[in-house]
């Protein structure tokens, strides 16, 4: 048993040398998962609870890499991490070169090593008929070792270009773009509407999944590289009816940015939550997830809030079966909820995917998060018909909801006759995904939008993340819609290259 009370597979033997990894490693070693702190311990706080691999355990994971002739993990990874190389370097104990390889494609492996769902592992060749290499755990181990050893240092440019760039939004896309552009020699200013840097990394992801000190030390590194951060500044205007969290203290117009800077890159997150317009939606106690989650992160940061949305002693229903819903589950359990139930409209997926059918693509299968394991009833193929109020003094508050079972026939959702139920619900959290970025940002610049409300901008070398507005670019969720942190980093890096080429006529930044 490991120190957290989680069983771990033993290291089977001492690792021997080889030309590239251990040729027979994938046959000799089994996948080793990272450990977790026990549930009763981790529910008492909002700290990270994942126990990373020890050095010898990480070497075993590196030894399992097959050094494929065609490493599908590279293409499965949106930032195209050079995975076999850093696997081999960890196997050989060359951690310093491992972080050099990892940083060559990924600005922030401490983010992805904690919160990325690891599409690289789904694409691992070993995953065809066995457990994939623990690539995410190795990435986590490499970057944590690099910070501990002091290998992560500022990389200021050797020369300045005299060009200025405004980056609107300080989430992973904005941070990646800003760092790349600053290292190319441009003067970069990042505008963030909230009171701290990080965007949805800061206020959308619970601290127990990623503590915000990881953002803070990257900000310090980027400031040493010349990036200027301006927090509490809203670019454009916020819709009067918006429920998006906003702690801006001042406003800057789009025209002012275009006049002051040589290029503007829009990298805001997809923060417009998908709503559920059923009877009773207006009742107190029915909230978007992004009203609920940011408040707890601010409390964790030492802020004081009046009227925090709390789950203490309440029957909580989370509507939406994705990662945001899972985050609501984990936060509600830490509040001390009486019960937590999570709804998913789709049927329960199989526990094991059909690998010959889906590999190397992202499989549809049942995914049980650490938050689910902390206490949660999961309901599949269920829809919410109405939110029901209480009586007397609670007549304006939600106290229950009506549900119906659904099934899919001919590609259409059909209600199952006679399946209606009423469930207690003192707090309902809507976590059904995000439809598009806040429209007023794009409207302020006059940027054309696609059918989903995102900025219209291509990604090939010709269009280069450009919008229809001169010297205005868009990347990340602002351009592609709700997506993964690793996709945001990729788009930020690629957009930086496009902006650099626009300003200088060519770019040496990696695409």
């Amino acid at each position: 048993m490991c120190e957290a009370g989680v069983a771990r597979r033993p290291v089977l033997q001492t690792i021997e040398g080889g030309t590239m990894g251990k040729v027979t490693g994938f046959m000799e070693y089994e996948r080793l998962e990272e450990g977790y702190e026990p549930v009763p311990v981790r529910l008492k706080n909002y700290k990270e609870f994942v126990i990373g691999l020890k050095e010898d355990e990480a070497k075993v994971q590196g030894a399992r890499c097959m050094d494929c002739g065609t490493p599908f993990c590279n293409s499965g990874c949106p930032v195209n991490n050079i995975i076999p190389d850093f696997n081999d370097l960890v196997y050989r104990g060359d951690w310093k070169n491992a972080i050099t390889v990892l940083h060559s494609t990924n600005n922030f492996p401490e983010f992805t090593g904690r919160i990325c769902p690891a599409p690289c592992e789904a694409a691992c060749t070993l995953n065809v008929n066995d457990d994939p290499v623990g690539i995410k755990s190795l990435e986590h181990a490499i970057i944590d070792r690099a910070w501990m050893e002091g290998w992560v240092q500022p990389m200021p440019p050797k020369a300045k270009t005299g060009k200025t760039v405004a980056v609107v939004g300080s989430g992973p896309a904005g941070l990646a773009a800003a760092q790349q552009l600053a290292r190319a020699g441009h003067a970069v200013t990042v505008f963030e509407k909230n009171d701290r840097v990080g965007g949805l990394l800061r206020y959308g992801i619970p601290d127990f999944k990623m503590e915000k000190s990881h953002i803070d030390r990257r900000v310090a590194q980027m400031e040493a590289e010349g990036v200027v951060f301006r927090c509490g500044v809203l670019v454009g205007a916020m819709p009067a009816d918006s429920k998006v969290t906003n702690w801006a203290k001042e406003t800057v117009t789009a025209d002012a940015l275009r006049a002051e800077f040589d290029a503007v890159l829009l990298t805001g997150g997809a923060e417009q939550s998908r709503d559920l317009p059923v009877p009773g939606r207006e009742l107190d106690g029915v909230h978007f997830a992004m009203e609920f989650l940011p408040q707890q992160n601010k409390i964790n940061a030492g802020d004081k809030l009046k009227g925090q949305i709390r789950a203490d002693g309440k029957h909580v229903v989370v509507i939406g079966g994705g990662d945001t819903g899972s985050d609501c589950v984990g936060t509600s359990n830490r509040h001390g909820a009486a019960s937590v139930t999570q709804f998913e409209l789709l049927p329960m997926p199989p526990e094991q995917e059909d690998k010959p059918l889906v590999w190397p693509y992202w499989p549809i299968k049942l995914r049980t998060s650490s938050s689910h394991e902390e206490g949660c009833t999961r309901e599949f193929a269920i829809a919410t018909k109405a939110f029901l109020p209480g009586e007397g003094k609670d007549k304006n508050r939600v106290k229950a909801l009506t549900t119906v079972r659904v099934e899919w026939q001919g590609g259409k959702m059909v209600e199952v006759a006679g399946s209606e139920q009423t469930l207690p619900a003192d707090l309902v959290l809507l976590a059904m995904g995000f439809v598009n970025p806040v429209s007023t940002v794009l409207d302020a610049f006059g940027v054309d939008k696609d059918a989903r409300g995102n900025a219209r901008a291509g990604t090939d070398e010709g269009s280069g993340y450009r919008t229809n507005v001169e010297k205005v670019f868009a990347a990340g969720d602002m351009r592609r819609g709700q997506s993964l942190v690793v996709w945001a980093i990729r788009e930020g890096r690629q957009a930086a290259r496009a902006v650099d080429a626009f300003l200088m006529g060519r770019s040496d930044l990696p695409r």
Side-chain angles (χ1 to χ4, degrees):
M1 301 294 283
C2 73
E3 59 267 44
V6 179
R8 279 180 161 166
R9 292 169 176 157
V11 177
L12 299 185
Q13 68 178 60
T14 302
I15 297 174
E16 302 167 358
T19 55
M20 173 67 180
K22 192 174 196 305
V23 176
T24 56
F26 70 96
M27 296 187 290
E28 298 175 31
Y29 306 127
E30 295 180 321
R31 178 183 170 96
L32 181 66
E33 300 286 353
E34 294 179 311
Y36 291 160
E37 293 284 354
V39 170
V41 173
R42 68 190 197 231
L43 284 181
K44 294 179 181 178
N45 58 67
Y46 294 87
K47 300 293 186 182
E48 292 180 12
F49 53 82
V50 173
I51 301 171
L53 300 181
K54 297 176 182 176
E55 184 170 351
D56 59 341
E57 296 169 337
K59 287 184 177 182
V60 166
Q61 277 304 295
R64 295 186 72 236
C65 182
M66 300 172 68
D67 184 27
C68 309
T70 303
F72 291 93
C73 56
N74 288 163
S75 55
C77 172
V79 293
N80 304 122
N81 278 337
I82 311 170
I83 294 166
D85 290 50
F86 69 65
N87 284 344
D88 177 60
L89 290 164
V90 170
Y91 164 69
R92 298 181 183 283
D94 190 351
W95 293 83
K96 193 168 185 178
N97 275 323
I99 188 57
T100 299
V101 170
L102 184 50
H103 267 154
S104 71
T105 55
N106 185 353
N107 295 67
F108 313 118
E110 64 268 47
F111 302 164
T112 52
R114 285 169 167 80
I115 59 177
C116 182
C120 55
E121 294 188 12
C124 175
T125 302
L126 194 54
N127 192 44
V128 171
N129 61 355
D130 200 349
D131 294 326
V133 175
I135 300 166
K136 179 179 175 180
S137 64
L138 288 176
E139 185 173 343
H140 186 183
I142 292 168
I143 184 58
D144 281 8
R145 175 75 173 267
W147 280 109
M148 181 181 66
E149 298 285 357
W151 297 332
V152 184
Q153 295 293 326
M155 298 173 60
K158 295 180 180 179
K160 296 287 189 178
T161 64
K163 302 293 186 179
T164 58
V165 183
V167 176
V168 180
S170 69
L175 291 177
Q179 186 166 65
Q180 294 294 96
L181 288 165
R183 290 175 176 178
H186 306 305
V188 181
T189 302
V190 177
F191 293 86
E192 169 57 53
K193 72 178 184 299
N194 292 320
D195 54 351
R196 295 181 178 91
V197 174
L200 292 175
L201 279 173
R202 173 78 65 176
Y203 288 123
I205 295 172
D207 290 359
F208 56 80
K209 288 177 68 175
M210 191 188 82
E211 293 176 19
K212 303 311 178 269
S213 58
H214 303 298
I215 301 174
D216 296 337
R217 62 186 177 186
R218 280 296 182 182
V219 169
Q221 180 199 33
M222 292 173 65
E223 288 177 331
E225 294 171 347
V227 178
V228 175
F229 292 94
R230 291 185 58 187
C231 294
V233 180
L234 176 66
V235 176
M238 187 64 68
D241 60 347
S242 175
K243 293 184 180 295
V244 173
T245 302
N246 173 32
W247 291 290
K249 295 180 180 178
E250 61 177 298
T251 301
V252 173
T253 67
D255 288 343
L257 282 193
R258 291 186 62 205
E260 182 180 351
F261 293 90
D262 297 312
V264 178
L265 175 59
L266 307 178
T267 63
E271 297 182 303
Q272 202 67 51
S273 300
R274 182 172 284 108
D275 209 342
L276 185 59
V278 300
R281 171 64 180 89
E282 75 286 352
L283 292 171
D284 293 341
V286 182
H287 300 277
F288 287 122
M290 286 306 296
E291 296 176 77
F292 176 67
L293 295 173
Q295 291 187 351
Q296 186 57 57
N297 285 5
K298 284 187 71 67
I299 295 293
N300 295 345
D303 295 351
K304 296 186 182 300
L305 291 181
K306 292 182 179 179
Q308 182 192 1
I309 302 168
R310 298 283 306 182
D312 314 61
K314 296 178 181 178
H315 296 290
V316 179
V317 175
V318 179
I319 300 179
D323 289 341
T324 302
S326 174
D327 294 343
C328 290
V329 170
T331 302
S332 297
N333 280 324
R334 282 161 178 75
H335 282 186
S339 67
V340 182
T341 305
Q342 186 177 22
F343 288 177
E344 170 56 62
L345 193 63
L346 297 173
M348 186 173 75
E351 292 191 14
Q352 179 63 52
E353 73 270 30
D354 186 347
K355 290 185 178 181
L357 178 66
V358 300
W359 179 88
Y361 302 108
W362 185 247
I364 296 176
K365 67 176 182 179
L366 182 65
R367 302 177 191 278
T368 300
S369 72
S370 58
S371 291
H372 294 141
E373 294 170 349
E374 293 164 0
C376 176
T377 300
R378 304 171 73 182
E379 298 284 354
F380 293 89
I382 189 169
T384 302
K385 298 284 288 182
F387 302 115
L388 306 177
E391 299 178 350
K393 64 178 183 179
D394 291 328
K395 66 179 181 180
N396 294 322
R397 288 198 59 82
V398 67
K399 282 297 176 181
L401 46 75
T402 302
T403 67
V404 64
R405 296 291 171 178
V406 296
E407 58 185 16
W408 297 82
Q409 299 177 1
K412 296 182 178 180
M413 185 181 73
V414 179
E415 295 183 2
V416 177
S419 65
E420 287 196 1
Q421 288 182 297
T422 299
L423 298 177
D426 305 305
L427 175 63
V428 178
L429 300 172
L430 306 180
M432 301 174 294
F434 305 89
V435 291
N436 49 252
V438 178
S439 61
T440 50
V441 179
L442 299 178
D443 293 341
F445 284 93
V447 170
D448 287 345
K449 290 176 275 191
D450 63 18
R452 297 183 299 157
N454 305 315
R456 188 185 300 278
T459 61
D460 56 43
E461 286 282 1
S463 55
Y465 291 85
R466 294 191 190 190
T467 70
N468 61 298
V469 181
E470 177 64 21
K471 73 179 184 181
V472 177
F473 299 73
D477 287 5
M478 186 70 74
R479 191 201 69 82
R480 66 179 287 120
Q482 178 192 3
S483 193
L484 304 176
V485 166
V486 69
W487 270 107
I489 294 173
R490 171 197 172 104
E491 293 232 337
R493 288 172 61 89
Q494 291 191 340
R497 175 184 168 88
V499 172
D500 185 39
F502 166 75
L503 294 174
M504 307 304 293
R506 59 182 297 275
S507 179
D508 292 326
L509 290 174
R511 179 173 167 80

